[in-house]
Amino acid sequence: MKLLPFYIDDIIERALMEDINYTDAATDYLLDDGMQSKAMLISKDDGVLCGLDFGLRVFEKLDNHINIIKHKNDGGIISKGDLIAEISGSTTTLLKGERTALNIMQHMSGIATKTSRLVKLVEGTKASICDTRKTLPGLRALQKYAVVMGGGRNHRFNLSDAAMLKDNHIDAYGGIIPAVEALREKVGHMIKIEVETRNLDEVRQALKCGAEVIMLDNMDCAAMSEAVKLGAGKALFEASGNVTENNIRQVAETGVDIISVGALTHSVKAFDISMRISKD
């Protein structure tokens, strides 16, 4: 997965504008512009690195004379104490970019690490781990990139990617079958239809009208197993709702194709990375 440079630069510029505004009240008054230093990015945890190039880009946006040596790459396993990268150049640049760069790398590495942990928990089953649209506004592509770096897969990026009929759509229109039939008459041939179901009766309705993907929302594992048997080979099945590290293996063993986890992005713990200015 590749993200376009202009998209990354736009996020970084907005983040720097938010953090620095027009001056750094400590750095600009304390240090001379000509002072040079070297900084080291160091892992303080064990997990999957993600967002390194985006974090380093922060310093390049502030000063195109920065020198960078990378010791690790996105998607790689890192351990506590590992040297991730070295950055040399203007001391004021290093200090001004530190927090924005770390915020990006810590958040993205947290997502990649969490995703990797869940992927390992379902190894040996056919289930893939997917993200959702429960992302931070403006950062969706970064967060979904991090999921891929952790070994997961992306659900739709936005409402245009697929037609997902959730419970509110169905309740508002008057039922699964009429809603799917009405929708199919209007959407283009490239758009798949996914239907959210809450019980086995709704699963049967979704199968009857030919939904390509059926979401099993907050169902217990016995019901999900039965749903998969009912629709074997007729649709993809997605488990969603109340999935945790404690029960994800059991969910995967029901035979579902996809397990979507909103917590990958909406409440992930930041991965601990520090930046240290060399005292040499």
Side-chain angles (χ1 to χ4, degrees), residues 7-276:
Y7 173 85
I8 302 303
D9 284 353
D10 180 62
I11 290 175
I12 290 171
E13 287 169 9
R14 283 187 283 115
L16 287 171
M17 182 68 71
E18 177 183 63
D19 198 40
I20 300 175
N21 199 348
Y22 56 89
T23 189
D24 178 339
T27 303
D28 286 335
Y29 291 111
L30 182 66
L31 302 176
D32 293 332
D33 287 342
M35 183 177 290
Q36 300 284 301
S37 295
K38 180 173 76 173
M40 296 172 288
L41 295 176
I42 300 170
S43 173
K44 298 180 71 178
D45 208 341
D46 303 325
V48 178
L49 178 64
C50 188
L52 176 59
D53 289 337
F54 308 147
L56 295 176
R57 181 64 176 156
V58 170
F59 300 104
E60 293 175 336
K61 291 295 292 181
L62 289 169
D63 183 351
N64 57 15
H65 297 296
I66 285 289
N67 295 308
I68 294 169
I69 300 174
K70 294 197 300 182
H71 296 279
K72 303 292 181 180
N73 291 293
D74 275 6
I77 302 299
I78 56 175
S79 302
K80 184 176 181 179
D82 281 354
L83 176 61
I84 297 170
E86 297 173 82
I87 315 163
S88 301
S90 165
T91 308
T92 59
T93 296
L94 296 177
L95 293 173
K96 288 180 180 181
E98 175 182 2
R99 177 41 51 200
T100 298
L102 289 179
N103 283 349
I104 291 170
M105 290 187 289
Q106 288 177 326
H107 182 62
M108 295 180 70
S109 295
I111 293 171
T113 298
K114 173 75 171 180
T115 303
S116 176
R117 194 156 57 240
L118 295 186
V119 168
K120 287 182 173 63
L121 287 172
V122 302
E123 282 182 349
T125 72
K126 68 175 182 177
S128 59
I129 303 301
C130 282
D131 50 36
T132 70
R133 284 171 45 245
K134 295 177 182 177
T135 55
L136 295 176
L139 298 182
R140 179 170 294 170
L142 290 188
Q143 293 184 304
K144 284 180 173 284
Y145 170 92
V147 168
V148 173
M149 287 298 103
R153 300 177 69 183
N154 296 141
H155 209 291
R156 56 181 180 164
F157 270 74
N158 55 55
L159 294 172
S160 300
D161 286 343
M164 181 186 291
L165 296 178
K166 306 199 77 168
D167 53 359
N168 284 332
H169 293 97
I170 293 163
D171 292 342
Y173 195 81
I176 290 173
I177 293 175
V180 171
E181 290 177 345
L183 186 60
R184 202 178 295 282
E185 289 182 0
K186 295 181 180 180
V187 297
H189 68 285
M190 296 296 289
I191 296 192
K192 289 185 177 181
I193 297 177
E194 178 170 5
V195 175
E196 179 180 284
T197 61
R198 295 162 285 191
N199 52 58
L200 292 176
D201 181 58
E202 291 186 344
V203 170
R204 292 185 182 94
Q205 293 178 54
L207 288 168
K208 184 177 180 180
C209 58
E212 287 91 350
V213 186
I214 298 175
M215 178 189 289
L216 308 175
D217 184 44
N218 287 296
M219 291 189 191
D220 60 38
C221 287
M224 286 192 283
S225 294
E226 184 61 27
V228 171
K229 291 177 184 176
L230 287 171
K234 299 176 183 177
L236 292 175
F237 285 91
E238 175 187 340
S240 181
N242 295 318
V243 177
T244 68
E245 291 188 26
N246 293 329
N247 67 12
I248 195 168
R249 180 73 191 189
Q250 187 179 5
V251 171
E253 289 175 347
T254 65
V256 295
D257 304 282
I258 305 150
I259 303 175
S260 56
V261 184
L264 289 177
T265 54
H266 70 57
S267 57
V268 72
K269 178 183 177 183
F271 187 92
D272 199 356
I273 299 171
S274 68
M275 190 183 94
R276 291 287 178 264

